[in-house]
Amino acid sequence: MVKNNYFTIEHQDCSDYNILVSTYITFKVSGDEIYLYKYGESYFDKSNHERNIPTKTWTEKDFGKIKFEDITTGFLEKLQ
């Protein structure tokens, strides 16, 4: 998804075979640079549809100004 100077990469995965994890990584384009703007995860329990698992969101206030090329899987896992 692209909107103004932002674009988002969406991904879904499964955790513990029952929890569907939807991941949203939003970047901001500023001049010639691209920075991580926001990272979020929402959850859905496939075995218990009534279960409410709070969404988690991190922003620049949490992780600082990080360039696109410096984002790694390890960095995102540490946010969790």
Side-chain angles (χ1 to χ4, degrees), residues 35-54:
Y35 296 97
L36 179 60
Y37 179 72
K38 184 170 30 174
Y39 177 78
E41 294 181 346
S42 62
Y43 309 93
F44 176 73
D45 189 333
K46 296 186 297 183
S47 65
N48 178 359
H49 295 192
E50 300 301 317
R51 182 176 175 197
N52 183 18
I53 306 172

Side-chain angles (χ1 to χ4, degrees), residues 1-8 27-30:
M1 178 173 75
V2 176
K3 186 174 183 180
N4 298 323
N5 290 353
Y6 300 88
F7 67 94
T8 300
F27 294 93
K28 180 179 181 178
V29 179
S30 179

Side-chain angles (χ1 to χ4, degrees), residues 10-75:
E10 300 177 13
H11 173 75
Q12 282 190 334
D13 203 353
C14 204
S15 174
D16 297 329
Y17 302 103
N18 287 323
I19 307 297
L20 183 64
V21 182
S22 297
T23 303
Y24 306 91
I25 307 169
T26 302
F27 294 93
K28 180 179 181 178
V29 179
S30 179
D32 293 339
E33 300 289 341
I34 301 173
Y35 296 97
L36 179 60
Y37 179 72
K38 184 170 30 174
Y39 177 78
E41 294 181 346
S42 62
Y43 309 93
F44 176 73
D45 189 333
K46 296 186 297 183
S47 65
N48 178 359
H49 295 192
E50 300 301 317
R51 182 176 175 197
N52 183 18
I53 306 172
T55 298
K56 296 180 182 178
T57 304
W58 296 267
T59 67
E60 285 181 320
K61 292 179 183 178
D62 300 304
F63 47 73
K65 199 166 190 174
I66 308 294
K67 288 185 177 182
F68 178 86
E69 58 266 23
D70 294 331
I71 304 301
T72 64
T73 302
F75 171 81

